Structure formats: structure tokens, C-alpha cells
């Protein structure tokens, strides 16, 4: 059960930070990023105590999660990869949280799908903090307007923000920006921090850290 060992190491690292006073007593969610991982590996992680998972693709989630969810009723699944508008209905069927709302067309489609499906999972808005052309997320200069549009005009259940900082830059300025933007709009959830920088993200206000390699080992992608 190497996963249990890894999980306890991670939890201990976080506990140490909390004791040092670097992280306030806030509740945080440890999300296991389970893309490419098998149902068996995911079940091991659930047995080790992980209750929140993230998948990047609707289709992959549909092949793995109906069975996992029916066997593990308390487990929650977040969408952490880009969502195509034509998959909005399916996304509402399988995900408990959608972290990657990032453009007006998708927001409009989701708003309609939520009415049709009578399902309103929490949504986070993904911000492209590094303004990277290959990455999804709304650009920072359009973020204020988009947050207000989603929440006030479309009345979507927006509860937080999410970002994936550029790989070749220190993440701290990106985390600080996301925190500031969330505070400005009174959004309580901040999904930031991955295997390499989760402690820093927690220090800077993360409420959800997304861990892949730290939990499951290197992916063969
Ligand atoms: C894969 C992935 C992660 C986990 O990344 P690691 O570096 O393996 O911890 C986190 N967030 C998103 C959006 C991902 O796609």
C-alpha cells in the first residue's frame, strides 16, 4: 500500500506547515488528480482515505466513475480539464464540481443544461493567470466581467477560482493574484497547487490542492 504511505507523508507535510503557523486552520480539500489511473488504483486511493478526485476528460470519467461512485457513495468527483460545450449535459451527470468554467459560450450552455437537468454543481472559474495561448482559462483582464456575468446574469453557482500557473515560472505570484481576485469577488474556494507546489499554494490560501504524481507516481503520458 504505497499510496497510504504517500498520503500520510503528504498529510504530515501539511500538518507541519499548519503547526508552524504558515497555514491557518482553514479546511482544505486534497483532490487526487486521477487522469490515466485505473479503476483499481483509484479504489486503492479511496481505501486509503481520499474522498475527492479530479478527472480531466468527460469521456474518461464516464468509463471509470459510474462503477466507482456506486461502490463509494461519499466520494466526490471534480472536472479539472477543459469542458466542450457539447459535453455539458454529460458533465452534469457525472461531476459534483466543475472547476474549469472559462468562457461565455460554455457558461451559457451550462446555465441551460442545469435547468434541463435540474442539477447545479458548484462551479469554479478557471483563470489563465499566465496568459498562455495553449492553456484554457479566461484571461485576467476579462476575469472581473466574466465572473459577474456568470454569477449575476446567468445565476450560475460560482463558488471559487482555479488556476494552473505556467510550468516555467515561480507559482507564488499566480497564487497571490488568484487569491486577490477571489477576495475581491467574495468567492471562498481557491483551487491551486499541484504536486510540486501544494505547500506554497496552501500558504497562499488554497482550499483545494490537486495532486497527481505525488499520490500515484509518474504518469506515462
Ligand atoms: C494532472 C493535473 C494535476 C496534477 O498534477 P501533478 O503535477 O501530477 O500533481 C492538477 N491539476 C490539473 C488541472 C491536472 O490536469
Amino acid at each position: 500500500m504505497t499510496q497510504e504511505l504517500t498520503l500520510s507523508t503528504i498529510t504530515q507535510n501539511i500538518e507541519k506547515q499548519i503547526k508552524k503557523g504558515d497555514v491557518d486552520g482553514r479546511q482544505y480539500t486534497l483532490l487526487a488528480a486521477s487522469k490515466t489511473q485505473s479503476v483499481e488504483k483509484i479504489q486503492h486511493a479511496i481505501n486509503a482515505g481520499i474522498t475527492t478526485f479530479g478527472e480531466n476528460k468527460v469521456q474518461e470519467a464516464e468509463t471509470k466513475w459510474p462503477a466507482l461512485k456506486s461502490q463509494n457513495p461519499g466520494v466526490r468527483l471534480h472536472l479539472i480539464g477543459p469542458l466542450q460545450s457539447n459535453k455539458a449535459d454529460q458533465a452534469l451527470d457525472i461531476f459534483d464540481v466543475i472547476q474549469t468554467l472559462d468562457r461565455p459560450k460554455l457558461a451559457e450552455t451550462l446555465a441551460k443544461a442545469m435547468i434541463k437537468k435540474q442539477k447545479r454543481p458548484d462551479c469554479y472559474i478557471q483563470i489563465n493567470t499566465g496568459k498562455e495561448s495553449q492553456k484554457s482559462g479566461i484571461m485576467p483582464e476579462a476575469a472581473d466581467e466574466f465572473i459577474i456575468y456568470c454569477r449575476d446574469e446567468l445565476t450560475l453557482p460560482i463558488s471559487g477560482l482555479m488556476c494552473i500557473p505556467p510550468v516555467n515560472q515561480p507559482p507564488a505570484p499566480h497564487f497571490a493574484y488568484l487569491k486577490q481576485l477571489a477576495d475581491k469577488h467574495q468567492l471562498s474556494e481557491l483551487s491551486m497547487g499541484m504536486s510540486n507546489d501544494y505547500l506554497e499554494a496552501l500558504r497562499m490560501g488554497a482550499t483545494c490542492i490537486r495532486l497527481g504524481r505525488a499520490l500515484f507516481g509518474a504518469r506515462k503520458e
Side-chain angles (χ1 to χ4, degrees):
M1 286 298 278
T2 50
Q3 266 161 5
E4 273 179 61
L5 287 176
T6 323
L7 180 60
S8 73
T9 309
I10 293 168
T11 315
Q12 276 165 23
N13 287 342
I14 296 171
E15 290 301 317
K16 260 187 252 161
Q17 293 286 326
I18 292 174
K19 285 222 181 72
K20 270 169 50 190
D22 282 350
V23 179
D24 56 32
R26 112 180 66 89
Q27 294 278 318
Y28 68 89
T29 300
L30 191 161
L31 176 152
S34 51
K35 59 175 174 261
T36 78
Q37 305 299 337
S38 66
V39 167
E40 291 71 28
K41 273 207 158 182
I42 295 171
Q43 185 62 55
H44 270 294
I46 295 172
N47 297 345
I50 296 177
T51 57
T52 305
F53 290 79
E55 287 285 347
N56 289 64
K57 294 183 178 146
V58 174
Q59 218 167 356
E60 184 178 342
E62 280 175 332
T63 65
K64 286 156 46 175
W65 281 91
L68 281 164
K69 276 199 162 181
S70 72
Q71 277 156 37
N72 306 278
V75 167
R76 307 212 352 123
L77 186 62
H78 294 215
L79 177 64
I80 60 172
L83 177 58
Q84 292 167 265
S85 294
N86 64 8
K87 298 241 170 76
D89 283 10
Q90 288 131 286
L92 291 181
D93 283 335
I94 196 152
F95 291 103
D96 302 296
V97 176
I98 293 172
Q99 292 204 4
T100 50
L101 177 52
D102 66 350
R103 56 195 192 279
K105 180 166 182 278
L106 175 62
E108 289 151 15
T109 307
L110 266 178
K112 286 194 196 116
M114 284 186 188
I115 293 167
K116 185 168 105 192
K117 292 259 168 196
Q118 292 291 301
K119 282 186 182 158
R120 286 175 66 76
D122 275 354
C123 296
Y124 305 171
I125 291 174
Q126 182 178 355
I127 313 286
N128 190 347
T129 60
K131 301 189 184 194
E132 296 172 283
S133 58
Q134 82 284 10
K135 215 167 249 172
S136 27
I138 191 107
M139 289 294 167
E141 55 271 20
D144 286 320
E145 198 187 340
F146 184 59
I147 293 167
I148 293 166
Y149 177 61
C150 289
R151 196 169 55 182
D152 299 349
E153 224 162 298
L154 299 175
T155 64
L156 286 165
I158 306 296
S159 63
L161 301 177
M162 179 270 215
C163 77
I164 311 170
V167 285
N168 54 354
Q169 286 179 27
H174 298 272
F175 296 159
Y177 165 75
L178 204 70
K179 166 80 173 141
Q180 192 194 355
L181 189 62
D183 286 350
K184 181 173 168 189
H185 291 278
Q186 297 179 310
L187 296 168
S188 57
E189 304 302 319
L190 268 185
S191 173
M192 56 190 200
M194 315 202 304
S195 293
N196 287 336
D197 51 22
Y198 64 94
L199 288 176
E200 185 152 29
L202 282 170
R203 279 198 294 276
M204 302 193 72
T207 61
C208 175
I209 51 173
R210 310 181 307 266
L211 304 180
R213 287 163 298 142
L215 289 169
F216 295 109
R219 284 180 296 274
K220 21 183 189 333
E221 280 168 309

